[in-house]
Amino acid sequence: GAVVSQHPSWVICKSGTSVKIECRSLDFQATTMFWYRQFPKQSLMLMATSNEGSKATYEQGVEKDKFLINHASLTLSTLTVTSAHPEDSSFYICSADRGYNEQFFGPGTRLTVL
Amino acid sequence: DAKTTQPTSMDCAEGRAANLPCNHSTISGNEYVYWYRQIHSQGPQYIIHGLKNNETNEMASLIITEDRKSSTLILPHATLRDTAVYYCIVRVETSGSRLTFGEGTQLTVNP
């Protein structure tokens, strides 16, 4: 299957700082990418849908000014957690839509905010 | 997207078949049944999907009832590496359509 990578795989930061997470589709182009958040022992929660060249669509309750999403190319989407706080500590997962109803997930990024 | 209901957890002996049920009684005619799994601290992995016919691939088989209100994922010979949370999702099959994850079933394969 197709490969989606995320970088970094884990990050620890101080409260108040910003953290950028990259999601790349390595062997296909993805017009649409998705960002999920997963807290311990919970399911994945969709945060936003990212479309190449346009503004992201955020789910209800997700602050667009806090979670900045940029999808500047067909192989790269970035999620920036601005002014991170301990409650933002979570497992962030992206997925990329290859078309043909196929969606592939990245390995996830573990964010810990101290 | 239609809501799905799955058991919270299941156990299976290594080498035996694992049968994971899913109820989706409100599924629409244009919605497909998808199965993904998530091994601890990893991203979800696609397993299989289908509309109304039974499907089989190298990983699993998907059995969908005639009324499409429920389905069963079958792992024919479970191994320890199959221990994971299995998610049953129904969605319209169009590019860019979202996946909505429920709570899934924690499958534990025991030696």
Side-chain angles (χ1 to χ4, degrees):
Chain A
V3 179
V4 175
S5 69
Q6 284 185 238
H7 178 80
S9 56
W10 60 271
V11 57
I12 302 172
C13 70
K14 293 182 178 180
S15 185
T17 61
S18 294
V19 174
K20 179 184 285 189
I21 302 170
E22 293 185 348
C23 176
R24 292 182 186 274
S25 55
L26 298 185
D27 51 1
F28 66 97
Q29 294 183 329
T31 302
T32 304
M33 291 185 174
F34 301 87
W35 286 96
Y36 296 82
R37 181 168 53 182
Q38 186 174 33
F39 293 107
K41 298 190 184 300
Q42 295 186 21
S43 186
L44 285 79
M45 291 174 47
L46 180 65
M47 299 175 66
T49 302
S50 168
N51 292 297
E52 187 266 338
S54 64
K55 291 184 178 181
T57 302
Y58 291 82
E59 295 300 302
Q60 190 173 7
V62 178
E63 300 175 58
K64 63 180 181 180
D65 295 329
K66 180 171 181 59
F67 299 99
L68 302 179
I69 293 173
N70 184 280
H71 193 159
S73 79
L74 288 173
T75 59
L76 173 65
S77 176
T78 60
L79 168 69
T80 301
V81 183
T82 62
S83 186
H85 288 93
E87 57 265 30
D88 299 322
S89 297
S90 189
F91 192 49
Y92 291 87
I93 306 169
C94 72
S95 69
D97 191 305
R98 187 169 70 170
Y100 307 105
N101 315 303
E102 295 178 321
Q103 201 172 123
F104 297 91
F105 286 81
T109 297
R110 178 78 57 193
L111 170 63
T112 301
V113 184
L114 302 177
Chain B
D1 293 335
K3 180 179 173 57
T4 62
T5 304
Q6 298 178 251
T8 302
S9 63
M10 294 183 66
D11 284 272
C12 176
E14 187 178 20
R16 305 298 290 270
N19 298 290
L20 292 90
C22 179
N23 286 322
H24 31 79
S25 58
T26 60
I27 191 169
S28 300
N30 63 344
E31 288 181 312
Y32 285 69
V33 180
Y34 281 75
W35 283 84
Y36 282 79
R37 73 179 182 183
Q38 185 181 26
I39 296 170
H40 184 62
S41 294
Q42 296 183 24
Q45 177 189 22
Y46 166 82
I47 301 173
I48 199 168
H49 78 282
L51 181 62
K52 54 183 179 180
N53 296 323
N54 296 338
E55 303 287 343
T56 295
N57 62 21
E58 65 278 5
M59 289 183 68
S61 294
L62 173 60
I63 308 298
I64 303 174
T65 58
E66 192 169 342
D67 63 7
R68 300 209 324 123
K69 293 185 177 182
S70 65
S71 61
T72 301
L73 178 74
I74 302 173
L75 307 178
H77 305 286
T79 70
L80 299 179
R81 288 178 294 180
D82 292 322
T83 293
V85 178
Y86 287 76
Y87 296 98
C88 169
I89 301 168
V90 292
R91 69 186 272 242
V92 176
E93 194 174 65
T94 55
S95 291
S97 67
R98 55 197 290 168
L99 289 167
T100 302
F101 287 81
E103 298 306 313
T105 296
Q106 170 66 59
L107 175 68
T108 302
V109 181
N110 300 303

